[in-house]
Amino acid sequence: MKPLVFVIVNISKVIAAFSIAAGVFLAFINVVARYIFESSLTWAGELTIYLFLWSVFFGAVYCFEKDAHIAVDVFLEKAPLKLRKVFILITLIISFIYVAAIAYYGYKYVLLYIDLGEVSVDLNIPLWIPYVVVPISFAFSAIVLLNKIITILKTPAEKIKLKSEAQELLEELGQDELLKRVHKKTGGML
């Protein structure tokens, strides 16, 4: 399962990064064309929206893997270790059911658009193409969450660690390096 998750997360990272970069670049080109040449690309707005949507949905897959989604963990920090494991499992299972349902119904929605044969206004492409991001990204998220559920089930309660982004940054950089960066960025104000 881990190699599959590794591939899924990396594919999602690449798609998210490319989509956001292409969307920003296209929006910039369209603004330049509009204000300098007084003629914009009529299809650029629609494509930019689709690129940003793809970036958000595939970025969410990466966030599931890195535990970067917003979470309120006050109860987890105070809970006994065994109860903490139960709470984490409940959260992951509910999240898995939710994203799996969205993937399934997103797939049904895409099939509907394939049957309807509708096309986008500006790009004149079948609408199922931009909408296919929903079932794919949510299926990817479900696989990542399933892997997390299996990992938590196999991990003893006392070995489950909660880390905040600040703690991870401190561990990654070391406290001295982090303080140097903060001092440099704030001009010594902190």
Side-chain angles (χ1 to χ4, degrees), residues 3-179:
L4 176 62
V5 170
F6 177 80
V7 170
I8 285 172
V9 168
N10 283 302
I11 287 171
S12 298
K13 250 192 327 190
V14 168
I15 292 172
F18 172 79
S19 296
I20 194 76
V24 168
F25 179 74
L26 186 57
F28 173 75
I29 294 299
N30 201 31
V31 167
V32 169
R34 186 178 316 125
Y35 288 104
I36 294 178
F37 303 112
E38 296 182 9
S39 174
S40 64
L41 306 169
T42 57
W43 49 269
E46 187 175 344
L47 183 56
T48 301
I49 290 169
Y50 293 151
L51 287 169
F52 285 153
L53 286 173
W54 279 62
S55 175
V56 167
F57 282 110
F58 280 104
V61 176
Y62 178 74
C63 287
F64 274 120
E65 174 60 24
K66 297 297 178 186
D67 289 326
H69 285 288
I70 295 173
V72 179
D73 57 3
V74 174
F75 296 115
L76 287 178
E77 291 174 359
K78 305 291 183 197
L81 295 176
K82 291 187 186 217
L83 194 56
R84 181 183 296 179
K85 180 175 179 174
V86 171
F87 285 158
I88 292 170
L89 278 170
I90 289 170
T91 303
L92 289 172
I93 290 168
I94 291 170
S95 298
F96 172 78
I97 291 168
Y98 176 77
V99 298
I102 298 293
Y104 173 76
Y105 288 109
Y107 171 72
K108 301 286 262 176
Y109 191 70
V110 167
L111 290 179
L112 174 67
Y113 268 89
I114 290 172
D115 287 343
L116 293 174
E118 289 195 34
V119 295
S120 66
V121 175
D122 295 328
L123 292 172
N124 201 31
I125 60 170
L127 275 176
W128 68 266
I129 293 173
Y131 293 162
V132 79
V133 68
V134 173
I136 293 173
S137 64
F138 277 83
F140 280 6
S141 293
I143 293 168
V144 169
L145 285 167
L146 184 60
N147 183 59
K148 286 195 163 297
I149 291 168
I150 292 168
T151 302
I152 293 293
L153 284 171
K154 290 180 179 178
T155 306
E158 49 280 348
K159 292 194 178 186
I160 296 173
K161 294 181 181 167
L162 296 176
K163 290 185 183 177
S164 68
E165 287 183 62
Q167 288 170 323
E168 287 181 12
L169 194 58
L170 277 171
E171 287 176 10
E172 185 180 313
L173 295 175
Q175 188 171 357
D176 293 336
E177 177 65 26
L178 184 63
L179 289 174

